[in-house]
RNA sequence: CGGGGUGUAGCGCAGCUCGGUAGCGCGCCUGCUUUGGGAGCAGGAGGUCCCCAGUUCGAGUCUGGGCACCCCGACCA
């Protein structure tokens, strides 16, 4: 491809819109064009990359036994009403009406449709296992689209769905897809961390996310020295110990103006770990009180999973008051007639300071279970960096990352709800057990750039770079340069390399800076200066120094450098 | 949805406080010179100042209402 004919201009200045590296660089490199918040056109550079990512995914999914399908993006609302997910998705669902005033949605995902396909096509255990996948555009009216392709409202995703005869069979499929994912990300040149993840309210047990490390990532994962890895929603930990002592008599203390743990700890001169925090939630209409040690935060995902509710949020002051609670001094002490949940950490420590359910007063020397009761003890604590890891190998480290892939066991919710059944060996009807497996293809591109760039531009992993070779003719209007560059362009293309040939009449600085910005793995420079010495300059994007070789050694050297880059 | 911010040429911005001929840099076009890290000189094109209403002799600027986009928190590939 000749730069002089290639669509897309590079920008010298950073667009004001963009904050994150991938967004900024993609705009500057002319890879994407914004049409609306979270909606982008993929220009030729980005599309070439996306095609490569998709191709790697296709090959690995096919190797894992998958078959590609394509499903509509436009669904009648009934498809979603059948599983109740029109309600569950809420405002995330894009809705529209056709000319007959029928309600339609733009598909945010395809479990319902794929299950209908399975219902129509799977009849016998002989038809299983079945692994279908799609690479398509999905639509979600995100509360907050951000960072270019990292989180869009219209984005591309590979989603795979599996159907198996039972839990054991599903596990085989699940592990096979996990392995395919490891291959995919490795082949994309993208190191990922595989972490345990929350599988959601309707999920089965297993769920794993593939995370690309990046400071700009939206996800926090916790890692132990021994290899334990989980995202923060899922992670368990052993919090640091709290002061222990002989239980003392509980006493009421005046705490004027104290409504926070920090203030309470300060006033009484005790660590936050010697306080109890009582948080009240509104869960599907019921008020629930959660008591946890003061130095910890409630993990709402864990709480939601335990409660099995659809709506979970902090209760308003009015709701709390109606349930007999006193915001600022909420306490489990002396409280009844409300569902009470306690985190196990209420036992780890003694003589806690806690609320008194009356303004400007707290109790001191509260001990469980002597002074209050809970209905259930459940781990609802948010694991933090510095806590002891659950595998006992040391303390947890927290890192930020971007979720590029997610695999999880779905169970039989969709097949049962939608009536997909197969006949087993005994002639009995059963619901296939499902798994589902997503990769955000357009997000993979953005994540690759987040992870691979410097202050000058992108440094593409070779397998997903739009072009492999950036051939620059300096003084392109010089006859000798032009002749040599054209010859190399033809030779490199004939050898199967994807060459971006900068044949423009531009200054050296412009061309070098564009090459650094676009970030193709290998740069080849033909210039009058070098031609006088009978050489051509070759440099990898990630390297500082160039090597000089004779023109007839260029193709071989490029091949070698690309091979190195693939490692 | 809550909080913060921004809408002026393709891009980055000034002008708004104090109403009076719409500006700067980059990019673009033409010519000459230049040629290894975003060249120089000369000439030129390019604007519903986000939209609507109001105040005023006169609004980019003041007032009111809307819209869009970005960033920070609750959701997800």
């Amino acid at each position: 491809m000749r730069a002089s004919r290639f669509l897309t201009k590079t920008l010298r200045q950073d667009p004001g819109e963009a904050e994150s590296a991938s967004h900024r660089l993609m705009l500057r490199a002319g890879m994407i064009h914004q049409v609306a918040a979270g909606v982008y056109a993929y220009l030729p550079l980005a599309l070439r990359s996306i095609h490569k990512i998709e191709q790697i995914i296709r090959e690995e999914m096919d190797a894992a036994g998958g078959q590609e399908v394509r499903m509509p993006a436009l669904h009648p609302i009934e498809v979603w009403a059948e599983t109740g997910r029109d309600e569950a998705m809420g405002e995330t669902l894009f809705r529209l009406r056709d000319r007959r005033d029928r309600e339609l949605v733009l598909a945010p995902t395809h479990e319902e449709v794929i299950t209908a396909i399975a219902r129509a096509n799977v009849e016998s255990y002989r038809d299983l296992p079945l692994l279908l996948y799609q690479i398509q555009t999905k639509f979600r009216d995100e509360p907050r689209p951000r960072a270019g392709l990292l989180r869009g409202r219209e984005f591309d995703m590979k989603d795979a769905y599996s159907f198996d005869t039972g839990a054991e069979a599903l596990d085989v499929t699940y592990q096979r897809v996990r392995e395919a994912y490891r291959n995919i990300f490795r082949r994309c040149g993208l190191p990922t961390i595989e972490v345990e993840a929350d599988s959601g309210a309707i999920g089965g047990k297993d769920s794993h996310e593939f995370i690309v490390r990046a400071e700009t990532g939206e996800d926090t994962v916790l890692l132990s020295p021994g290899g334990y890895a989980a995202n923060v929603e899922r992670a368990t930990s052993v919090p640091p110990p709290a002061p222990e002592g002989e239980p003392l008599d509980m006493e009421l203390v005046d705490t004027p103006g104290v409504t926070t743990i920090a203030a309470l700890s300060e006033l009484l001169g005790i660590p936050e770990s010697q306080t109890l925090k009582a948080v009240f939630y509104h869960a599907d209409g019921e008020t629930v009180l959660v008591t946890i040690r003061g130095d910890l935060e409630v993990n709402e995902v864990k709480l939601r999973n335990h409660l099995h509710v659809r709506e979970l949020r902090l209760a308003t002051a009015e709701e709390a008051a109606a349930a007999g609670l006193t915001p600022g001094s909420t306490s489990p002490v002396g409280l009844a007639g409300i569902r009470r949940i306690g985190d196990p950490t209420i036992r780890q420590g003694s003589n806690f300071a806690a609320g008194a359910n009356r303004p400007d007063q707290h109790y001191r020397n509260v001990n469980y279970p002597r002074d209050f009761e809970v209905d259930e003890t459940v781990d609802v604590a948010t694991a933090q960096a510095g806590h002891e890891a659950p595998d006992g190998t040391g303390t947890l480290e927290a890192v930020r990352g971007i979720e590029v892939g997610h695999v999880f066991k779905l169970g039989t919710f969709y097949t049962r709800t939608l009536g997909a059944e197969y006949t087993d060996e005994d002639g009995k009807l059963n619901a296939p057990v499902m798994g589902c497996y997503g990769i955000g293809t357009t997000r993979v591109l953005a994540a690759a750039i987040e992870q691979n760039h410097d202050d000058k531009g992108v440094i593409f992993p070779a397998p997903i770079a739009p072009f492999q070779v950036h051939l620059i003719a300096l003084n392109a209007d010089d006859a000798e340069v032009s002749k040599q560059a054209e010859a190399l362009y033809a030779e490199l293309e004939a050898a199967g390399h994807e060459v971006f040939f900068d044949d423009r009449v531009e200054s050296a600085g412009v061309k070098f800076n564009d090459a650094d910005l676009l970030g193709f793995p290998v740069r080849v420079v033909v210039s009058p200066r070098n031609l006088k010495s009978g050489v051509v300059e070759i440099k990898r994007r990630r390297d500082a120094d160039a090597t000089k070789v004779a023109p007839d050694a260029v193709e071989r050297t490029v091949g070698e450098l690309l091979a190195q880059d693939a490692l």
Side-chain angles (χ1 to χ4, degrees):
Chain A
M1 176 57 65
R2 289 171 190 273
S4 60
R5 301 303 317 149
F6 196 72
L7 172 87
T8 283
K9 263 194 197 314
T10 55
L11 300 174
R12 295 194 178 187
Q13 286 159 306
D14 284 332
E17 299 284 81
E19 296 282 323
S20 68
S22 65
H23 190 198
R24 188 165 45 81
L25 291 172
M26 275 195 253
L27 287 170
R28 273 195 62 198
M31 298 179 71
I32 54 175
H33 172 84
Q34 181 168 22
V35 175
V39 179
Y40 292 85
Y42 310 126
L43 302 183
L45 281 178
L47 192 58
R48 291 181 70 101
S49 248
I50 291 167
H51 282 156
K52 294 188 175 197
I53 293 164
E54 289 177 349
Q55 187 53 33
I56 290 169
I57 291 173
R58 284 198 171 90
E59 289 172 16
E60 294 298 331
M61 291 309 296
D62 289 347
Q67 303 177 65
E68 185 169 3
V69 297
R70 200 175 218 347
M71 291 181 271
L74 201 55
H75 299 176
I77 187 69
E78 288 78 9
V79 164
W80 289 78
E82 269 193 89
T83 54
R85 286 217 295 174
D86 55 336
E87 289 286 327
M89 282 273 171
E91 306 222 279
T92 303
L93 212 49
F94 276 107
R95 297 161 189 267
L96 64 157
R97 290 184 178 276
D98 68 11
R99 63 170 73 208
R100 295 186 191 90
D101 209 34
R102 311 246 320 150
E103 193 176 351
L104 301 164
V105 308
L106 291 176
T109 179
H110 288 80
E111 280 84 3
E112 282 80 359
V113 173
I114 204 81
T115 305
I117 291 169
R119 180 173 59 199
N121 289 279
V122 172
E123 297 183 289
S124 154
Y125 69 95
R126 295 182 221 272
D127 297 324
L128 302 175
L130 180 63
L131 179 64
L132 299 173
Y133 73 95
Q134 54 165 176
I135 300 177
Q136 290 184 229
T137 303
K138 308 219 168 184
F139 301 86
R140 293 181 193 172
D141 196 356
E142 293 286 344
R144 189 158 87 85
R146 61 176 287 266
L149 262 39
L150 273 183
R151 180 175 211 76
R153 295 191 296 169
E154 173 175 337
F155 59 97
D156 285 3
M157 194 174 150
K158 186 285 302 180
D159 241 336
Y161 307 90
S162 67
F163 299 86
D164 278 286
T165 52
E168 304 76 28
L170 169 59
D171 197 56
V172 171
T173 302
Y174 185 82
Q175 299 306 339
R176 188 186 301 140
V177 176
R178 268 178 88 178
E179 193 56 39
Y181 272 39
R182 293 180 191 129
N183 294 338
I184 287 165
F185 293 120
R186 178 176 44 73
R187 288 185 56 194
C188 284
L190 208 58
T192 54
I193 309 170
E194 207 173 319
V195 306
E196 292 179 22
D198 172 59
S199 51
I202 49 171
K205 270 185 291 203
D206 288 314
S207 176
H208 292 85
E209 286 178 353
F210 289 76
I211 302 283
V212 168
R213 278 185 89 136
E215 279 311 308
T216 45
E218 298 176 286
D219 294 290
T220 301
V221 303
L222 294 155
L223 309 173
S224 84
Y228 173 82
N231 68 18
V232 69
E233 289 80 25
R234 162 81 180 204
T236 58
S237 68
V238 183
E244 296 272 5
E246 282 302 306
L248 305 173
D249 289 342
M250 191 169 84
E251 58 176 311
L252 198 59
V253 291
D254 288 331
T255 54
V258 169
T259 59
T260 63
I261 291 293
L264 183 64
S265 152
E266 165 98 28
L267 180 74
L268 299 181
I270 54 174
E272 292 189 5
S273 60
Q274 205 178 349
T275 67
L276 290 177
K277 182 185 289 183
V279 192
F280 36 94
Y281 284 92
H282 182 87
D284 280 357
E286 183 188 12
T287 301
V288 176
L289 185 77
V290 178
T291 305
I292 189 170
R293 225 172 61 193
D295 58 325
L296 302 171
E297 299 295 329
V298 174
N299 179 331
E300 292 185 9
V301 172
K302 287 183 182 176
L303 180 60
R304 179 191 297 270
N305 289 345
H306 173 73
L307 294 173
H308 288 292
V309 294
R310 181 160 290 174
E311 187 198 16
L312 180 71
R313 57 172 171 80
L314 289 172
T316 63
E318 293 74 37
E319 287 161 352
L325 301 173
T326 307
S329 181
T330 312
S331 178
V333 179
L335 204 65
I338 181 174
R339 187 167 177 187
R340 297 159 301 184
I341 291 176
D343 185 79
T345 51
I346 59 179
R347 297 174 178 275
Q348 296 169 6
S350 57
N351 297 322
F352 291 108
N357 280 326
R358 54 185 86 175
D360 300 322
Q361 289 192 312
H362 283 76
Y363 284 119
R364 206 196 318 243
N365 302 329
V366 173
N367 289 282
Y368 176 83
R370 185 191 71 183
D371 303 322
F372 69 97
E373 295 174 53
V374 295
D375 302 303
E376 309 153 84
T377 303
V378 185
D379 170 22
V380 291
T382 302
Q384 296 171 25
H387 287 185
E388 193 74 21
D391 63 359
T393 62
T395 56
L396 290 170
E397 174 201 7
V399 306
R400 306 276 302 173
I402 301 161
E403 179 188 357
V404 289
H406 193 169
V407 296
F408 67 102
K409 295 182 176 176
L410 270 181
T412 54
F413 173 77
Y414 293 99
T415 46
R416 282 190 196 286
T417 307
L418 297 172
E421 295 177 316
Y422 70 95
T423 309
D424 68 17
E425 291 93 326
D426 302 324
K428 291 204 188 107
L429 286 176
N430 278 311
V433 183
M434 290 178 68
C436 92
Y437 319 88
I439 293 179
T441 53
T442 42
R443 180 182 278 182
V444 165
L445 172 58
I449 295 173
E450 288 293 338
Q451 199 178 49
N452 298 283
H453 68 272
D454 62 16
D455 57 341
K456 305 201 87 117
V458 183
I459 306 175
F460 268 110
I464 63 171
F467 293 90
Q468 302 303 300
V469 182
H470 199 123
L471 173 62
I472 291 177
L474 287 189
N475 307 85
D477 46 356
D478 177 293
E480 285 301 309
V481 167
S482 173
K483 190 176 151 200
Q484 182 60 261
E486 290 284 349
L488 284 173
Y489 178 44
E491 184 191 356
L492 289 166
E493 290 242 295
H497 299 298
E498 296 167 314
V499 184
F500 186 81
F501 176 25
D502 192 346
D503 59 338
R504 298 172 303 167
V505 179
E506 284 286 355
S507 73
V510 169
K511 293 193 174 195
F512 287 141
N513 280 299
D514 276 352
D516 288 340
L517 174 61
L518 299 184
F520 308 148
V522 173
R523 187 184 82 184
V524 177
V525 178
V526 179
S527 72
R529 200 177 76 186
N530 282 335
L531 281 187
K532 283 203 188 89
S533 334
V535 295
V536 170
E537 178 187 291
I538 302 182
K539 170 182 148 354
R540 292 198 309 173
R541 172 63 176 87
R542 65 173 77 247
D543 292 337
D545 299 317
T547 58
K548 291 177 180 171
V549 304
D552 62 4
V554 167
E555 194 279 312
R556 183 171 48 78
T557 310
V558 165
E560 287 168 6
L561 290 176
L562 284 174
Q564 283 177 31
D565 222 65
L567 297 180

